[in-house]
Amino acid sequence: MNEIDRAYPEGKPLTRPAVPAMDQILGRKFPMLDHGFIRVIDYMGDEGAIVQAARVSYGQGTEAKSSDRGLLRYLMSHHHSTPFEMCEIKLHVKLPIFVARQWIRHRTANVNEVSARYSVLSREFYTPAAEDLAPQSLTNKQGRAGGYSPEMAAVLQGLITDACNSSFNVYDAMTKEVDGPHAIYPLSRELGRIVLPLAAYTEWYWKIDAHNLMNFLRLRADPHAQWEIRVYAEKICQILQDWMPTVYEAFCDYVLNAKSFSAMELGLLSAYLAKPVNGPEHAGMTARELQAFKDKLGWA
Amino acid sequence: MNEIDRAYPEGKPLTRPAVPAMDQILGRKFPMLDHGFIRVIDYMGDEGAIVQAARVSYGQGTEAKSSDRGLLRYLMSHHHSTPFEMCEIKLHVKLPIFVARQWIRHRTANVNEVSARYSVLSREFYTPAAEDLAPQSLTNKQGRAGGYSPEMAAVLQGLITDACNSSFNVYDAMTKEVDGPHAIYPLSRELGRIVLPLAAYTEWYWKIDAHNLMNFLRLRADPHAQWEIRVYAEKICQILQDWMPTVYEAFCDYVLNAKSFSAMELGLLSAYLAKPVNGPEHAGMTARELQAFKDKLGWA
Amino acid sequence: MNEIDRAYPEGKPLTRPAVPAMDQILGRKFPMLDHGFIRVIDYMGDEGAIVQAARVSYGQGTEAKSSDRGLLRYLMSHHHSTPFEMCEIKLHVKLPIFVARQWIRHRTANVNEVSARYSVLSREFYTPAAEDLAPQSLTNKQGRAGGYSPEMAAVLQGLITDACNSSFNVYDAMTKEVDGPHAIYPLSRELGRIVLPLAAYTEWYWKIDAHNLMNFLRLRADPHAQWEIRVYAEKICQILQDWMPTVYEAFCDYVLNAKSFSAMELGLLSAYLAKPVNGPEHAGMTARELQAFKDKLGWA
Amino acid sequence: MNEIDRAYPEGKPLTRPAVPAMDQILGRKFPMLDHGFIRVIDYMGDEGAIVQAARVSYGQGTEAKSSDRGLLRYLMSHHHSTPFEMCEIKLHVKLPIFVARQWIRHRTANVNEVSARYSVLSREFYTPAAEDLAPQSLTNKQGRAGGYSPEMAAVLQGLITDACNSSFNVYDAMTKEVDGPHAIYPLSRELGRIVLPLAAYTEWYWKIDAHNLMNFLRLRADPHAQWEIRVYAEKICQILQDWMPTVYEAFCDYVLNAKSFSAMELGLLSAYLAKPVNGPEHAGMTARELQAFKDKLGWA
């Protein structure tokens, strides 16, 4: 294919694409919550690799897109997801178990997690900061709303910390080696751990392609996601921005901050709207993007 | 959990959910294109099974939804996809190889295809009907547009039919057993088949859950999909409607006929729109759905 | 294809395959551990459906196999896994969270789990029976070995029960509604739950195809799996046997109780062995199976 | 975790692991069949990355393994597959469509294929070399056996080449732009392509993790795989060897050249064998590997 041959002239030696902004943060621990972190261990591909994969698929068809930026935005807005699958990232994450349980539901990823059957976990658990504690929302069955007085927050923090410490006390007593006449332990680690709280920290390596990463971010950087996983998702959004700034911009425009209107809502919209003779400014959209907008509203 | 116990009282014997409209079409061949077909071989679960799975997850949180219909529409419009994964369908499909090559890209499905290494394929290939032949679109790099005169269509049909018949002639000559002094064949089937055209028909069993089925339909019942796969997708839409009428209605409202507005388009919309004092009718939406609409536009 | 047409004569109405032994246990709760259970909610397909899918793929090639049993055993021993993917089972499982965390690692399955963001969990947690408590194995880093005196076991049970009850006390205090002047709670459920122990029970609907089910069983019914997940796997083995007795037999013969010999071990074996003139009985294997055995050892 | 901290000391900057042998072949086209090729576009991770991921999971449990080599072999022989999933490779492959149809059945991979809806395919198709043409096997329903005389091979090559050229002639005539009074074409590309033979070449980017790559190789480098896909698999075996020599060695020892013995075969083996007092040499196995061998045979 000409497109590919143009991208990869035969004689020219190939080097792996590198992203300086990523190379700079490689291995650096970004603290999360009270004891957690995220760090980038490795990555594969860059925005150029996505463009290239798209050009393999669509050949000359992609030339119409004036630029790489235009092509990336076109792919994003039209849900052409396979080129984004051509890039991969590997993170090392330390996170509370209750967050890990939500995270692992994203099945199209690779995971190597610390095993508490093999290793004794150290005494690290999550205690929400005072400002992150909130009562049960009355309108949102799965959420929190409002806040507590400093005194009340301190009481709740105390309850949580004491409960988790007590659990770890029992865990340690049962699983740690002891000397002396009463040295009847240790209980097997795989059993001892069952008293540990969901607030306990675990760690894993997590590897995922850029398309499925954005699926993860769409759901977990959403305001409906639990705050404790959202902080991780928001940090990963920044990492994605470092890795692929144009892709991240398109992701914000077309996914994160986009909204879907149902068939009925579209009907209402056309009823509310009449085609304006002199409309407002076009919000920085290209002619093509503007046309797509008009098409959605049924304007000629 | 109370919700589950309510759904499945311990003493009460359980029977597999059955959908009479599906049982009626089980095994019936619906003709597709000139030699293909679709038929339902088996299915698992019904709308009740989706509701039940959702109630397992969300517990009392789902009681707020006044009805099963309300819950199903809520799940669909909020992209809560896992309950839909609880139902499964198995189809037997006969389809041209070039359609099969698009179809197989949907990875979350199970497939058993006829092997042309094991069996000699019979002489069946797709010739487009006169009205389905169309020139290359000048605006859509991947599509067709316009049509041909009956005479021209007949010429093209003749070219296609002759080319495919010639290929099958060579295939048959190379792979079929022959007697007599020149009986130097047959060539191994796995090699003989390589001359066969992409128009040749193949068959498979295809099994998929309802969520991923709708992903398939969203992409393949779309006007941008090639017409020859779209006719299959549209038939499967009807089967889905037989299987799960409320789900299908919600799928049309919130997915098939919905449109996504980018962040920029949402900005334009609010510029065009002022909150109307007396708006038009609410298009049959519930109070909750109407509120969701207003929320998308930033109205109080 | 003739094979398929033979299986599904056009005029003959089709009914979903049913397995009486499964219909009989549908919905019945099989108790697991101290508070858990497994029950079959639904299933799709039977051994006939596997045979049929294989015949679709392999056409006349499968006629050589004298019987359905022979074909099923051939598929199993040759790792032809796709026909087994044509059957599906849906279970309702109640299990401790630490078991759920191992279980969920099997990604090719569908899950709807109780959400502790939506619902308050009831006070149910796992306490190992006295005879299931065991010290850390000294040779197996991830296992247990030996046992405890009744007195020591009681002490450990007491430690576990007290720790879990204390955690639930704090959870209840923080998340349950209270009246009166000190009614400062409830804390949002999504936060309250973080003090709960990994021994707490959760529930889910779990749906998987027969091939991936056997992958699960291969790993989780293995002696290296933690005992608490193994009891679930062993019960599911029985359910598989009810569902597909011939498949289960082949699974035991060719997977569960089979062993893989490395290239080096195969070399040792041939050194140890000389082709016996009069060997022992053939252990009930067919002529074909016996030949496969000889082939593995390099005997003519 | 200590293991991870030891692997990644906080202060030390991290660089992406690189494999010189891979960097050297990056982008180089390895010719396959008559017009195809394979080339490595990118890779992520090396053997060290696998070791590290394993140490994350198993912690101190892996220290017992004296060396990285020992650990890699242990992981391979015990089917601990997740650490291998931590590495990824991206290939650019040009291959006949009938090979692509087998290849794509491996679902856990990412693919961007040339679209014949967008681009006109160039006249390239596979013609088997004389020595690769073979009659249908009489014993293996899906295979070939024997060979042809040079004259007969030439006849078959002629038949295949002529058939494919004729198909491309029609394709070109229908889809290429023509001038003049008879310029009634071009037919849309998505329709014109249906006359093309399965021998026609296509291209794709294919990205997969090392674990699933080895699954692919296990099936496609197997003697039962069609020869035309096997040559690709064998080349990828060499690439894997360049990338991860120790892993490749373990893969050969424990997977490619290993054999599984059924429960019945194991019974026969113990009947044939008596525990030898002075056995043969241990074939280079470590003490642990030798013990595993004895365990499989039920020797103390």
Side-chain angles (χ1 to χ4, degrees):
Chain A
M1 294 299 105
N2 299 335
E3 277 302 328
I4 308 174
D5 288 344
R6 224 172 296 162
Y8 284 141
E10 176 61 356
K12 193 189 138 211
L14 204 62
T15 52
R16 293 196 290 163
V19 179
M22 288 292 274
D23 292 338
Q24 215 150 358
I25 61 170
L26 227 53
R28 191 189 301 170
K29 282 185 182 173
F30 298 105
M32 293 281 122
L33 302 179
D34 50 356
H35 299 292
F37 62 75
I38 290 181
R39 57 177 174 176
V40 184
I41 295 298
D42 205 347
Y43 66 93
M44 171 172 157
D46 60 2
E47 293 190 335
I50 299 168
V51 165
Q52 194 175 82
R55 295 209 197 274
V56 169
S57 290
Y58 308 125
Q60 287 86 0
T62 54
E63 281 173 22
K65 281 85 211 172
S66 46
S67 64
D68 285 1
R69 182 173 182 274
L71 177 55
L72 289 170
R73 290 177 72 79
Y74 176 85
L75 295 173
M76 184 71 72
S77 63
H78 286 71
H79 309 292
H80 290 200
S81 54
T82 56
F84 298 105
E85 294 179 14
M86 284 291 142
C87 295
E88 196 90 9
I89 193 167
K90 181 159 56 175
L91 303 175
H92 177 194
V93 188
K94 184 170 174 182
L95 70 178
I97 289 175
F98 71 93
V99 173
R101 297 235 301 139
Q102 299 177 336
W103 196 306
I104 199 78
R105 297 303 311 278
H106 297 263
R107 288 163 289 189
T108 312
N110 310 113
V111 182
N112 275 279
E113 185 179 357
V114 166
S115 169
R117 297 181 73 196
Y118 280 91
S119 307
V120 174
L121 296 187
S122 55
R123 185 183 293 249
E124 288 178 308
F125 53 85
Y126 170 61
T127 307
E131 62 271 24
D132 300 326
L133 282 166
Q136 176 62 35
S137 163
L138 297 178
T139 56
N140 178 358
K141 285 275 185 182
Q142 66 165 322
R144 61 183 93 166
Y148 290 106
S149 68
E151 297 74 27
M152 190 56 223
V155 169
L156 284 164
Q157 288 180 312
L159 282 172
I160 290 170
T161 306
D162 289 353
C164 292
N165 267 321
S166 298
S167 299
F168 267 101
N169 288 344
V170 177
Y171 173 66
D172 286 349
M174 293 194 300
T175 60
K176 291 250 162 90
E177 308 246 358
V178 279
D179 285 331
H182 304 297
I184 32 186
Y185 307 120
L187 180 62
S188 53
R189 289 184 284 272
E190 64 178 13
L191 281 176
R193 63 166 167 174
I194 74 175
V195 301
L196 290 179
L198 294 173
Y201 275 89
T202 186
E203 290 187 44
W204 60 34
Y205 272 32
W206 187 66
K207 177 173 144 291
I208 195 167
D209 67 66
H211 167 63
N212 281 289
L213 181 72
M214 288 186 282
N215 268 351
F216 174 86
L217 296 177
R218 181 175 58 81
L219 289 169
R220 303 307 178 178
D222 184 272
H224 289 93
Q226 183 163 353
W227 184 82
E228 279 77 15
I229 196 169
R230 227 158 69 211
V231 296
Y232 286 85
E234 283 164 5
K235 182 65 208 170
I236 298 175
C237 279
Q238 288 175 25
I239 292 170
L240 177 60
Q241 193 175 18
D242 279 345
W243 188 18
M244 305 177 171
T246 312
V247 168
Y248 180 69
E249 185 198 20
F251 174 61
C252 289
D253 285 346
Y254 289 112
V255 181
L256 263 197
N257 301 323
K259 278 173 185 156
S260 175
F261 287 78
S262 69
M264 299 155 303
E265 290 174 332
L266 290 172
L268 273 195
L269 271 185
S270 16
Y272 279 124
L273 288 162
K275 186 188 171 178
V277 180
N278 298 308
E281 285 306 313
H282 55 62
M285 290 193 283
T286 65
R288 189 219 310 240
E289 288 170 347
L290 199 59
Q291 189 55 51
F293 170 62
K294 289 176 178 170
D295 289 347
K296 286 183 203 172
L297 290 166
W299 298 349
Chain B
M1 294 297 107
N2 298 336
E3 276 304 326
I4 308 175
D5 289 344
R6 223 172 296 163
Y8 284 140
E10 176 61 357
K12 195 188 138 210
L14 204 62
T15 51
R16 293 196 290 163
V19 179
M22 289 292 274
D23 292 338
Q24 216 151 356
I25 61 170
L26 227 55
R28 191 189 302 168
K29 282 185 182 172
F30 297 105
M32 293 281 121
L33 303 178
D34 51 355
H35 299 293
F37 61 76
I38 290 181
R39 57 177 174 174
V40 184
I41 295 298
D42 205 348
Y43 66 93
M44 173 172 155
D46 59 3
E47 294 191 334
I50 298 168
V51 166
Q52 196 175 82
R55 295 208 196 275
V56 169
S57 290
Y58 308 125
Q60 286 86 1
T62 55
E63 282 173 22
K65 280 87 209 172
S66 47
S67 64
D68 285 2
R69 182 172 182 276
L71 177 56
L72 289 170
R73 291 178 71 78
Y74 176 85
L75 295 173
M76 184 72 73
S77 62
H78 287 71
H79 309 292
H80 290 199
S81 55
T82 56
F84 297 104
E85 294 179 13
M86 284 291 141
C87 294
E88 196 90 8
I89 193 167
K90 182 160 54 175
L91 302 175
H92 176 194
V93 188
K94 185 170 176 182
L95 70 180
I97 289 174
F98 71 93
V99 174
R101 297 235 301 139
Q102 298 176 336
W103 196 305
I104 200 78
R105 297 303 312 276
H106 296 263
R107 288 164 289 190
T108 312
N110 310 111
V111 181
N112 275 280
E113 184 178 359
V114 167
S115 168
R117 297 181 72 197
Y118 279 91
S119 306
V120 174
L121 295 188
S122 55
R123 184 183 294 248
E124 288 178 309
F125 54 83
Y126 170 61
T127 307
E131 63 270 24
D132 300 326
L133 282 166
Q136 177 62 37
S137 163
L138 298 179
T139 56
N140 179 358
K141 285 274 185 183
Q142 67 165 323
R144 60 183 94 167
Y148 290 107
S149 67
E151 297 73 27
M152 188 57 221
V155 168
L156 284 163
Q157 287 180 312
L159 283 171
I160 291 170
T161 305
D162 289 353
C164 292
N165 266 322
S166 298
S167 299
F168 266 101
N169 287 344
V170 176
Y171 173 67
D172 287 349
M174 294 194 299
T175 60
K176 290 250 163 90
E177 309 247 358
V178 278
D179 285 330
H182 302 298
I184 32 186
Y185 306 118
L187 178 63
S188 53
R189 288 184 284 274
E190 65 178 14
L191 281 176
R193 63 166 166 173
I194 75 175
V195 300
L196 290 180
L198 293 173
Y201 275 89
T202 185
E203 290 186 44
W204 61 34
Y205 271 31
W206 187 64
K207 178 172 144 290
I208 195 167
D209 67 67
H211 167 63
N212 282 288
L213 180 71
M214 289 187 283
N215 269 350
F216 173 87
L217 295 177
R218 181 174 59 81
L219 290 168
R220 302 307 178 179
D222 185 273
H224 290 92
Q226 184 163 354
W227 183 82
E228 279 76 15
I229 196 169
R230 227 159 69 211
V231 296
Y232 285 85
E234 283 164 5
K235 181 65 208 171
I236 298 176
C237 279
Q238 288 174 25
I239 291 170
L240 177 60
Q241 193 175 19
D242 278 344
W243 188 18
M244 305 177 170
T246 311
V247 168
Y248 181 70
E249 185 197 19
F251 174 61
C252 289
D253 286 345
Y254 290 112
V255 180
L256 264 197
N257 301 322
K259 278 171 185 157
S260 176
F261 286 78
S262 69
M264 300 155 304
E265 289 175 332
L266 290 172
L268 273 195
L269 271 186
S270 16
Y272 278 125
L273 286 163
K275 185 188 170 178
V277 181
N278 299 308
E281 285 307 313
H282 55 60
M285 291 193 283
T286 65
R288 188 211 321 227
E289 289 170 346
L290 199 59
Q291 189 56 50
F293 170 62
K294 290 176 178 170
D295 289 347
K296 286 183 203 171
L297 290 166
W299 297 349
Chain C
M1 295 298 105
N2 298 337
E3 276 303 328
I4 307 175
D5 288 344
R6 223 172 296 163
Y8 284 141
E10 175 61 357
K12 194 187 138 210
L14 204 63
T15 51
R16 294 196 289 163
V19 180
M22 288 293 273
D23 292 337
Q24 216 151 359
I25 61 170
L26 227 54
R28 193 190 300 169
K29 283 185 182 172
F30 297 105
M32 293 281 121
L33 303 178
D34 51 356
H35 299 293
F37 62 77
I38 289 182
R39 57 176 174 175
V40 183
I41 295 298
D42 206 348
Y43 66 94
M44 173 172 155
D46 60 2
E47 294 190 335
I50 298 167
V51 166
Q52 194 175 83
R55 296 210 196 273
V56 169
S57 291
Y58 308 124
Q60 287 87 0
T62 55
E63 280 173 24
K65 280 88 210 171
S66 48
S67 64
D68 285 1
R69 182 172 182 276
L71 177 55
L72 288 170
R73 291 177 72 79
Y74 176 85
L75 295 172
M76 184 73 72
S77 62
H78 287 70
H79 309 292
H80 290 200
S81 55
T82 57
F84 297 105
E85 294 179 13
M86 285 290 142
C87 295
E88 196 89 10
I89 192 167
K90 182 160 54 175
L91 302 176
H92 177 193
V93 187
K94 185 170 174 182
L95 70 179
I97 289 175
F98 71 94
V99 173
R101 297 234 301 140
Q102 299 177 336
W103 196 304
I104 199 79
R105 295 305 312 277
H106 296 263
R107 287 164 289 189
T108 312
N110 311 110
V111 181
N112 275 281
E113 184 178 358
V114 167
S115 168
R117 296 181 72 196
Y118 279 91
S119 306
V120 174
L121 296 188
S122 55
R123 185 183 293 248
E124 288 178 308
F125 53 84
Y126 170 61
T127 308
E131 63 271 23
D132 300 326
L133 283 166
Q136 177 62 37
S137 163
L138 298 179
T139 56
N140 178 357
K141 285 274 185 183
Q142 66 166 323
R144 60 183 93 168
Y148 289 107
S149 67
E151 297 73 27
M152 190 55 222
V155 169
L156 285 163
Q157 288 180 312
L159 282 171
I160 291 170
T161 306
D162 289 353
C164 292
N165 266 321
S166 298
S167 299
F168 266 101
N169 287 345
V170 176
Y171 173 66
D172 287 349
M174 293 194 300
T175 60
K176 290 251 163 90
E177 309 246 358
V178 278
D179 286 329
H182 303 297
I184 32 186
Y185 306 119
L187 179 63
S188 51
R189 288 183 284 274
E190 65 178 14
L191 281 176
R193 63 167 167 174
I194 74 175
V195 300
L196 290 180
L198 293 174
Y201 275 89
T202 186
E203 291 186 43
W204 60 34
Y205 271 31
W206 188 64
K207 177 172 145 290
I208 195 167
D209 67 67
H211 167 63
N212 281 288
L213 180 71
M214 288 187 283
N215 268 351
F216 173 87
L217 296 177
R218 181 174 58 82
L219 289 169
R220 302 307 177 177
D222 184 273
H224 289 93
Q226 184 162 353
W227 183 83
E228 280 77 15
I229 196 169
R230 226 158 70 211
V231 295
Y232 286 85
E234 283 164 5
K235 181 66 209 170
I236 298 175
C237 279
Q238 289 176 24
I239 292 170
L240 177 60
Q241 193 175 18
D242 279 344
W243 188 18
M244 305 177 170
T246 311
V247 167
Y248 181 69
E249 185 198 18
F251 174 61
C252 290
D253 285 346
Y254 289 112
V255 181
L256 264 198
N257 301 323
K259 277 171 184 157
S260 176
F261 286 77
S262 69
M264 300 155 304
E265 289 174 332
L266 291 172
L268 273 196
L269 271 185
S270 17
Y272 278 125
L273 287 162
K275 186 185 171 179
V277 181
N278 298 308
E281 286 305 314
H282 55 62
M285 289 194 284
T286 66
R288 188 213 318 230
E289 289 170 347
L290 199 58
Q291 188 56 51
F293 170 63
K294 291 176 178 170
D295 289 347
K296 286 181 203 172
L297 290 167
W299 297 348
Chain D
M1 296 298 104
N2 298 337
E3 278 302 328
I4 307 174
D5 288 344
R6 225 171 295 162
Y8 285 141
E10 177 60 356
K12 194 188 137 210
L14 205 62
T15 51
R16 294 196 289 163
V19 179
M22 288 293 274
D23 292 338
Q24 216 151 357
I25 61 170
L26 226 52
R28 191 189 302 168
K29 283 186 183 172
F30 297 105
M32 293 282 120
L33 303 178
D34 50 356
H35 299 293
F37 61 76
I38 289 181
R39 58 177 173 174
V40 183
I41 295 298
D42 205 347
Y43 66 93
M44 171 173 156
D46 59 1
E47 294 190 335
I50 299 168
V51 166
Q52 194 175 83
R55 294 209 196 276
V56 169
S57 290
Y58 309 125
Q60 286 86 2
T62 55
E63 281 174 24
K65 280 87 210 171
S66 46
S67 64
D68 286 1
R69 183 173 182 275
L71 177 55
L72 289 170
R73 291 178 71 79
Y74 176 84
L75 295 172
M76 184 72 74
S77 63
H78 286 70
H79 310 292
H80 289 200
S81 54
T82 56
F84 298 104
E85 294 178 13
M86 285 291 141
C87 295
E88 197 89 9
I89 193 167
K90 182 160 55 176
L91 303 175
H92 177 195
V93 187
K94 184 170 174 181
L95 69 179
I97 290 175
F98 71 93
V99 173
R101 296 235 302 138
Q102 298 176 336
W103 196 305
I104 200 78
R105 296 303 312 277
H106 296 263
R107 288 163 290 189
T108 311
N110 311 111
V111 182
N112 275 279
E113 185 178 358
V114 166
S115 169
R117 297 182 73 196
Y118 280 91
S119 306
V120 174
L121 296 188
S122 54
R123 186 182 292 249
E124 289 179 309
F125 54 85
Y126 170 62
T127 308
E131 62 271 24
D132 300 326
L133 282 166
Q136 177 62 36
S137 163
L138 298 178
T139 55
N140 178 359
K141 285 275 184 181
Q142 66 166 324
R144 61 183 93 167
Y148 290 106
S149 67
E151 297 74 25
M152 188 58 223
V155 169
L156 284 164
Q157 287 181 313
L159 282 172
I160 291 171
T161 305
D162 288 353
C164 292
N165 265 323
S166 298
S167 299
F168 266 101
N169 287 344
V170 177
Y171 173 67
D172 286 350
M174 292 195 299
T175 60
K176 290 249 163 90
E177 307 246 359
V178 280
D179 285 329
H182 303 297
I184 31 185
Y185 307 119
L187 180 62
S188 52
R189 290 183 283 274
E190 65 178 12
L191 281 176
R193 62 164 167 177
I194 74 176
V195 302
L196 290 179
L198 293 173
Y201 275 89
T202 186
E203 290 186 43
W204 61 33
Y205 272 32
W206 186 64
K207 177 172 144 289
I208 195 166
D209 67 67
H211 167 62
N212 281 289
L213 180 71
M214 288 186 283
N215 268 350
F216 173 87
L217 296 177
R218 181 174 58 81
L219 290 169
R220 303 306 178 180
D222 185 272
H224 290 93
Q226 182 163 354
W227 184 83
E228 279 77 14
I229 196 168
R230 227 159 68 211
V231 295
Y232 285 85
E234 283 164 5
K235 181 66 207 169
I236 299 176
C237 278
Q238 288 175 26
I239 292 170
L240 176 61
Q241 193 175 18
D242 278 345
W243 188 18
M244 304 177 172
T246 313
V247 167
Y248 181 69
E249 184 197 19
F251 174 62
C252 289
D253 285 345
Y254 290 112
V255 180
L256 265 198
N257 301 323
K259 278 173 185 156
S260 176
F261 287 77
S262 69
M264 299 155 304
E265 289 175 332
L266 290 172
L268 273 195
L269 272 185
S270 15
Y272 279 124
L273 287 163
K275 187 187 171 177
V277 180
N278 298 309
E281 285 307 312
H282 55 62
M285 290 193 283
T286 65
R288 190 216 312 235
E289 289 170 348
L290 199 60
Q291 189 54 51
F293 169 62
K294 290 176 178 171
D295 289 346
K296 285 182 203 172
L297 290 166
W299 297 349

